[in-house]
Amino acid sequence: MKFISIVGTNSNDSTNRKLLQYMKKHFAEKAVIEVWEIKDLPAFNEPEDKLAPVGIAALSAEILAADGVIISTPEYDHAIPAALKSVLEWLSYTTRPLIDKPVMIVGASHGSLGSSRAQAHLRQILDSPELKARIMPSSEFLLGRSLDAFDEEGNLIYGDKITELEECFAEFSLFVEITNQLVKDHRFKANQTKLFSWEHLADGGLN
């Protein structure tokens, strides 16, 4: 499987980046995980032509090509960072690559709650009609006390959190397989229905 992971902040020193880099290394034998930065992407400014800027278009293409998406978000004032919200606004207004795309949400914070309220906020946003992502249900990975969570090599040192992350990732991998198959079957049946309706009308016209 190929996943794209998004660092949900423009901070240069983020433990959410460390978390995704750790996941890329730790799960290397199970999936290819690309880590994408949003810190150099422009702030959302509604374009008249509805065309995405180059960086947003590149991110969109990677999302479309991936089997699933992992977003790691910090928590700022009980919500996701403005930089992440801006990226989602670009995607929803232009290319809409997250429609039916499986998404796993993770988060790291300096406090003990591990970005729980920001993750709830992100779920709400991703469920909006313009984004309509397929969010893994009933599963959160919350990394609290994240400043002390990694060693000098970037390895996660909380044993219980490693086990929890492995369980969440295994669930997400299965969720991706099932979701993508369901979406594929649904689209096939929808296309077959359209084809059947057209042929039925054509036959009716000929008879």
Side-chain angles (χ1 to χ4, degrees):
M1 287 188 178
K2 178 184 177 182
F3 299 143
I4 176 171
S5 64
I6 298 173
V7 181
T9 176
N10 57 4
S11 171
N12 289 324
D13 186 19
S14 171
T15 52
N16 284 275
R17 181 180 295 106
K18 290 182 179 181
L19 175 57
L20 292 181
Q21 289 171 341
Y22 171 77
M23 291 178 68
K24 176 179 180 177
K25 179 173 60 175
H26 190 70
F27 298 116
E29 294 184 359
K30 298 180 180 179
V32 175
I33 301 177
E34 288 191 50
V35 179
W36 263 73
E37 299 282 352
I38 66 171
K39 59 183 179 178
D40 294 325
L41 297 178
F44 178 71
N45 184 15
E46 186 175 311
E48 293 183 2
D49 56 9
K50 289 197 173 184
L51 294 179
V54 174
I56 297 295
L59 174 60
S60 178
E62 290 293 331
I63 291 174
L64 287 171
D67 296 299
V69 178
I70 304 168
I71 303 176
S72 188
T73 180
E75 183 172 309
Y76 297 165
D77 300 323
H78 294 189
I80 65 172
L84 178 55
K85 182 64 164 61
S86 174
V87 169
L88 295 175
E89 287 167 353
W90 273 119
L91 296 177
S92 69
Y93 193 77
T94 57
T95 53
R96 298 184 177 176
L98 286 169
I99 291 178
D100 286 332
K101 187 67 64 173
V103 175
M104 176 184 184
I105 300 173
V106 299
S109 70
H110 299 175
S112 59
L113 296 179
S115 77
S116 60
R117 288 163 295 199
Q119 291 196 33
H121 183 217
L122 182 54
R123 282 178 179 272
Q124 184 180 19
I125 294 170
L126 291 173
D127 197 39
S128 65
E130 294 79 9
L131 291 168
K132 203 184 279 186
R134 302 276 182 148
I135 312 155
M136 188 168 71
S138 304
S139 180
E140 292 179 314
F141 180 76
L142 309 170
L143 181 62
R145 298 176 287 112
S146 60
L147 285 176
D148 300 318
F150 301 93
D151 62 19
E152 293 182 357
E153 284 74 42
N155 297 309
L156 186 59
I157 62 174
Y158 299 154
D160 59 332
K161 284 298 178 180
I162 294 173
T163 300
E164 183 182 340
L165 183 59
E166 290 172 344
E167 291 173 351
C168 287
F169 188 79
E171 290 180 9
F172 181 60
S173 297
L174 180 59
F175 176 72
V176 168
E177 289 182 7
I178 294 173
T179 299
N180 286 338
Q181 187 60 50
L182 285 173
V183 169
K184 180 180 177 182
D185 290 347
H186 174 73
R187 288 174 179 169
F188 174 77
K189 289 177 181 178
N191 289 335
Q192 289 297 99
T193 300
K194 291 178 183 177
L195 179 61
F196 174 80
S197 298
W198 181 86
E199 289 177 341
H200 178 72
L201 289 172
D203 290 340
L206 291 173
N207 294 332

